[in-house]
Amino acid sequence: MRTVKGRRAHGPRSLRGKLTLANVVLLALSIVAATAASLMGLRHYLLDAIDSELLSSRRSVGEAPLTFEQIDSLTALFALSEKMGSGSSGDDTDTLVQGSVFVAVDAAGRPLAIGGLPVTGTQRALAAAVADPAPLVADTEPRDLQVRGDHYRVTAGRLDDGTTVLLATSTEPVSHVVAKALKLDLAVGSLLLALLACLTMISVRRRTQPLEDMVETSTAIAEGDLTRRVPSSREPTLEVEQLRLALNSMLHQVESAYRTRERSAAQLRRFVADASHELRTPLSAIRGYLQLYDKGMLRDPVDRKRAWERVMAEADRMGRLVDELLVLARLDQQPQLRFRDVDLSLLVREAAQDLRAQQPERPLTVAADGALLVHADESGLRQILGNLLANVRIHTPSDVPVRLAAQRRDGTVRLCVADDGPGLDAEDAARVFDRFFRAGGGAGSGLGMAIVQGVVHAHGGEVAVETAPGEGLAVTVTLPDRPAPAPEDCAGVPPPDAAAPSRPS
């Protein structure tokens, strides 16, 4: 039977059927072995009782100081014969199944009549079956003998005058008792087997329910439901619970890997499309000016100069875009950065000086005095500062105040770049680190913040943005470092007056 849509087979080939069959077979073998041992013991016990009775009778015959003539003449012999259970009626059809047989034989082995009673057919058969009674007299244990198709235990004793007396007891009652015990054992054993089969089916079904849940979960996942997990059973066993936990952990990893792959594939497709779009613009501009030049439409030296300048500007733009794409590609490959102790305060002050040189009119506040060592890649930190400040230059007016701060707090080093510009709404703020995203379709390549995030993650840090429309934009970069006393964070740096001059670093 095959498993269809998570439903397990219940036939002999299923685990449930095999376990039930194995238990039933083992119990059946146990019952057979126990029955055989008990019946053999019962038979041995009953035969031992018969042998004991025969040997006791033989001792009574041998120890009595009587001859055959004395026994024949005494009426007590009849009583003795009755006591030993001959009970013969003289009918040749008598069997020995109902008791024991007592018969005296002469030297030729012929049966002798005792007390005037005729010799029965059973006594003749017994005397005829014993060809030589001498070995029976000498044996210490009775022998098995078959008389008229029935089985007996036979022994013999001698009287004082040398007459041999044969003593026999039928073992057919023993066979009947053993047969009845066998039937009883078979009936009880069959009932036990049926009961065990039912109990095993119920128990195995309960114990294997987690396995069926695993099959159903696997089938659901194969059909596309990656959120399915194996539920916990009410009576879990250690091994099955361990398997359930391991399978759920594996399914979680598979789902995470699948989601990550899908997200990466979607990002790659979007990245390729955005990169193609961004590169197409400068290429189209360069191709257009070259076509104008090739067709001789740029005859005026001023037009040719302006076209040349535009071509060079677009080529520079395309070069910067390609460089940024290469940076992102290297970050995606998790490059080995050159970590060493870097003075972050010095880098902040140098970046502030560059911003003052580019925009002398912009109010600037710097909170990065002294030395603040951090174990990081210096070029990566410079790129973070450069991109954040370039973002400020491009997207805010030149008279908007800017604040820079570097600090150590709670075992981390924080770099803050904040401005009082127009800020971003919640939707744009959620996409600020997306590649080629430009809020409101502004200037720039849209890769600066993505590079900042990539470099920060390569350092094992985090970057966060706080913004709102009309409330400016604050970017906080957190890098891991050794614990140290924490000065005031950048949120405590008061914003400078727009008309006030910049504080020297």
Side-chain angles (χ1 to χ4, degrees):
M1 299 179 66
R2 295 184 177 179
T3 301
V4 180
K5 293 194 179 212
R7 296 183 62 85
R8 291 178 57 83
H10 303 297
R13 296 180 59 186
S14 66
L15 178 61
R16 182 183 303 175
K18 290 181 178 179
L19 290 177
T20 302
L21 182 61
N23 285 348
V24 171
V25 170
L26 290 177
L27 180 61
L29 294 177
S30 301
I31 291 176
V32 169
T35 301
S38 63
L39 293 180
M40 291 176 61
L42 177 62
R43 178 179 175 82
H44 177 75
Y45 173 77
L46 294 177
L47 291 178
D48 187 63
I50 292 175
D51 291 347
S52 299
E53 184 177 355
L54 289 175
L55 293 176
S56 177
S57 299
R58 185 176 72 171
R59 284 194 301 270
S60 299
V61 170
E63 294 174 357
L66 299 174
T67 62
F68 178 75
E69 289 77 4
Q70 292 172 335
I71 293 176
D72 185 44
S73 62
L74 296 176
T75 57
L77 181 61
F78 181 77
L80 177 62
S81 178
E82 287 291 324
K83 180 179 179 180
M84 299 186 64
S86 72
S88 300
S89 61
D91 190 355
D92 287 343
T93 61
D94 285 347
T95 64
L96 300 179
V97 177
Q98 296 178 353
S100 301
V101 175
F102 177 90
V103 60
V105 296
D106 57 13
R110 293 186 297 269
L112 301 175
I114 303 175
L117 297 176
V119 178
T120 66
T122 304
Q123 291 174 328
R124 289 193 186 94
L126 175 61
V130 179
D132 185 8
L136 293 177
V137 177
D139 287 343
T140 59
E141 296 290 337
R143 291 185 181 183
D144 289 324
L145 187 66
Q146 188 171 2
V147 179
R148 290 169 45 167
D150 296 328
H151 297 277
Y152 302 88
R153 298 286 287 175
V154 181
T155 187
R158 291 188 185 278
L159 298 176
D160 283 352
D161 60 356
T163 302
T164 302
V165 177
L166 299 179
L167 302 170
T169 300
S170 173
T171 60
E172 291 302 319
V174 174
S175 300
H176 292 167
V177 171
V178 171
K180 290 182 179 179
L182 177 60
K183 292 179 181 178
L184 179 61
D185 288 346
L186 291 178
V188 174
S190 300
L191 181 60
L192 289 177
L193 288 177
L195 182 61
L196 176 69
C198 295
L199 293 179
T200 301
M201 288 291 291
I202 297 174
S203 177
V204 172
R205 181 177 183 179
R206 184 174 67 253
R207 298 300 181 185
T208 58
Q209 184 63 40
L211 299 181
E212 297 184 4
D213 294 338
M214 293 178 190
V215 174
E216 294 179 0
T217 300
S218 301
T219 303
I221 290 177
E223 294 175 351
D225 186 6
L226 298 180
T227 61
R228 286 287 295 273
R229 295 294 182 269
V230 181
S232 178
S233 60
R234 290 177 296 180
E235 299 178 2
T237 58
L238 177 60
E239 294 79 6
V240 175
E241 185 66 12
Q242 289 177 342
L243 178 60
R244 185 188 71 85
L245 294 176
L247 182 59
N248 282 345
S249 177
M250 182 191 70
L251 294 178
H252 178 72
Q253 296 295 333
V254 170
E255 181 185 8
S256 300
Y258 180 80
R259 302 297 184 195
T260 301
R261 187 186 67 176
E262 291 295 318
R263 184 167 56 253
S264 299
Q267 290 178 349
L268 178 61
R269 289 191 295 268
R270 185 170 62 251
F271 177 78
V272 172
D274 293 340
S276 300
H277 177 75
E278 292 295 331
L279 289 174
R280 184 175 58 184
T281 300
L283 285 175
S284 299
I286 293 174
R287 185 184 297 111
Y289 283 113
L290 291 178
Q291 289 176 352
L292 292 176
Y293 180 82
D294 182 63
K295 293 178 181 180
M297 300 179 66
L298 300 177
R299 298 178 180 179
D300 190 353
V302 176
D303 293 338
R304 288 198 297 269
K305 180 178 180 182
R306 184 171 61 253
W308 177 253
E309 291 176 349
R310 290 293 301 149
V311 168
M312 292 301 296
E314 293 298 332
D316 291 341
R317 176 186 173 189
M318 187 168 58
R320 289 192 302 270
L321 183 61
V322 171
D323 291 339
E324 291 176 344
L325 291 175
L326 289 176
V327 171
L328 288 174
R330 293 191 186 99
L331 292 175
D332 289 339
Q333 295 176 357
Q334 298 181 353
Q336 294 293 332
L337 303 179
R338 298 180 180 178
F339 286 93
R340 63 185 184 88
D341 289 337
V342 180
D343 188 354
L344 182 60
S345 296
L346 178 60
L347 298 184
V348 170
R349 292 194 294 269
E350 291 178 353
Q353 292 176 358
D354 295 339
L355 181 61
R356 289 193 184 97
Q358 295 170 352
Q359 293 180 335
E361 70 281 6
R362 183 183 294 275
L364 179 62
T365 301
V366 180
D369 299 330
L372 180 59
L373 296 180
V374 58
H375 196 66
D377 181 74
E378 181 177 355
S379 61
L381 295 182
R382 290 185 181 275
Q383 192 163 30
I384 291 174
L385 283 167
N387 286 7
L388 292 179
L389 293 180
N391 190 62
V392 172
R393 292 197 310 270
I394 294 174
H395 297 288
T396 64
S398 59
D399 59 348
V400 170
V402 177
R403 300 182 297 280
L404 300 179
Q407 63 194 342
R408 192 187 307 275
R409 183 177 183 182
D410 298 334
T412 60
V413 173
R414 297 186 180 182
L415 170 66
C416 294
V417 177
D419 63 70
D420 294 339
L424 301 174
D425 56 25
E427 182 178 355
D428 289 342
R431 298 187 56 195
V432 70
F433 295 110
D434 291 350
R435 298 176 181 183
F436 297 105
F437 172 74
R438 292 190 294 267
S445 63
L447 297 176
M449 295 300 289
I451 292 176
V452 169
Q453 186 184 50
V455 175
V456 171
H457 287 174
H459 282 77
E462 297 178 354
V463 56
V465 171
E466 294 182 4
T467 183
E471 297 183 5
L473 175 70
V475 181
T476 302
V477 175
T478 304
L479 301 175
D481 194 69
R482 296 178 297 273
E488 294 184 356
D489 57 12
C490 64
V493 178
D497 190 348
S502 301
R503 187 177 65 182
S505 58

